[in-house]
Amino acid sequence: MYKAAEILEERLGRQEDAISRYNACLQLQPGYLPAQKALTRLYERQGRFAELVQMFEQDLLQTSDRDQVITTLNKMAVIYEDRLGDLDHAIECMKRILDLASDHLPTLRNLARLYERAGRFRELLETNDLEASFAGDTKQVLSLLHRNAEILDEHLKDRVGAITAYERVLALSPSYLPALKALGRLYAQDGRWEKLIDMYRAESEISPSTDAAAALIYKIGELYEHRLKQENEALASYQEALMLAPSYFPALRALARIYRAQAAWESLVEVLRAEAANRTDPLERANALYQ
């Protein structure tokens, strides 16, 4: 039967009759690989992808081998996604694989990609959580949890959920900088100044340089001064910034402003002397000394 189909296809150019014979081969011997390959070739050439998927479905009915089932379902998913543009059915194929092997990481990753393409973000969150529960690499777990926080923030506009997700990341890795920065932004949007100060403090402790750390401590001072109205805490933060970077002029200027408002002249003189000592431009140094 297969030889007859080959002749019809290759010698006589009667592709429909060849397809009929190849299908007859599969009815006589399900899973007969030469016939499957020939049908796959013909169906793809003619763009008959729905029939190709149906052939694979028939093949699934004839096998109980788990690896073979997974391979076939992957082939079907590729056809649904790339040829038919049917993401829902491609997703269904991935879910059928997970019904057989719930910890199959390549399938979980493919499913996550499909959910993202389809804009099915709630299901994507669940898939990432599931993959994180199986992943043995801490970096991979952090990446998945961070991605979930981004989805909650950017796609689902769930700020409370995003904050909880970022906090979960930091519970696993307190120095994970992307989560620190994201949480800081969300806390600022919500006006949670104390929490934002905690984020700046944590970020300063892992800063690559003293100047970068000083800039973060200076931001803490600004929050104390302008948002929480705690002037003494603000002064302490500005002074801490200068301990880290004695020439950090924003902190010097902030201290000078507060001391001037308090009429704390001796302290103001010390700050101006410190500014003069750290200025390289003669005119700026002269101005500080003149004040």
Side-chain angles (χ1 to χ4, degrees), residues 76-96:
M76 292 166 60
V78 169
I79 294 168
Y80 277 126
E81 181 183 4
D82 295 340
R83 300 298 188 177
L84 297 172
D86 187 343
L87 295 179
D88 288 340
H89 274 95
I91 288 168
E92 188 61 34
C93 290
M94 294 295 102
K95 290 167 74 174
R96 287 166 69 182

Side-chain angles (χ1 to χ4, degrees), residues 38-57:
L39 279 172
T40 300
R41 180 179 64 250
L42 286 169
Y43 284 146
E44 286 182 344
R45 186 184 301 161
Q46 296 181 14
R48 293 161 64 173
F49 298 109
E51 291 172 79
L52 180 55
V53 167
Q54 190 58 41
M55 182 190 79
F56 287 138
E57 285 284 10

Side-chain angles (χ1 to χ4, degrees), residues 31 82 90 152 229 264:
D82 295 340
L152 287 162
K229 308 301 181 185

Side-chain angles (χ1 to χ4, degrees), residues 182-285:
L183 259 182
R185 174 177 52 78
L186 291 170
Y187 286 149
Q189 290 173 359
D190 279 359
R192 297 166 68 173
W193 309 121
E194 294 283 0
K195 287 284 191 180
L196 180 54
I197 285 171
D198 290 342
M199 289 301 99
Y200 284 152
R201 174 68 62 184
E203 190 177 342
S204 73
E205 291 172 358
I206 60 169
S207 292
S209 68
T210 54
D211 285 346
L216 289 162
I217 300 300
Y218 172 76
K219 288 182 178 180
I220 291 174
E222 286 188 312
L223 290 172
Y224 277 127
E225 182 182 0
H226 301 299
R227 300 294 185 179
L228 297 174
K229 308 301 181 185
Q230 298 179 24
E231 197 168 76
N232 288 336
E233 294 292 339
L235 284 170
S237 297
Y238 294 141
Q239 289 163 351
E240 183 183 350
L242 290 174
M243 288 176 64
L244 291 165
S247 62
Y248 191 71
F249 294 114
L252 284 167
R253 285 192 289 270
L255 282 174
R257 183 184 67 253
I258 293 173
Y259 287 145
R260 198 182 298 276
Q262 292 179 343
W265 307 118
E266 291 291 345
S267 297
L268 177 57
V269 166
E270 290 179 15
V271 170
L272 292 171
R273 285 189 186 279
E275 181 176 349
N278 286 286
R279 289 291 188 185
T280 55
D281 183 88
L283 287 176
E284 291 176 341
R285 186 181 304 157

Side-chain angles (χ1 to χ4, degrees), residues 104-165:
H104 196 252
L105 287 178
T107 299
L108 283 168
R109 289 164 187 161
N110 268 329
L111 184 58
R113 179 181 57 78
L114 289 166
Y115 278 143
E116 186 149 12
R117 278 197 67 189
R120 293 165 63 171
F121 294 109
R122 288 290 175 191
E123 289 150 299
L124 175 55
L125 292 176
E126 294 172 4
T127 303
N128 285 343
D129 275 335
L130 184 58
E131 183 180 346
S133 71
F134 293 126
D137 182 4
T138 302
K139 289 182 179 179
Q140 182 65 19
V141 174
L142 285 173
S143 176
L144 289 163
L145 297 181
H146 182 224
R147 180 61 188 135
N148 273 1
E150 288 181 324
I151 291 166
L152 287 162
D153 182 19
E154 297 168 10
H155 296 289
L156 299 176
K157 308 303 179 186
D158 182 354
R159 188 178 297 170
V160 174
I163 287 172
T164 301

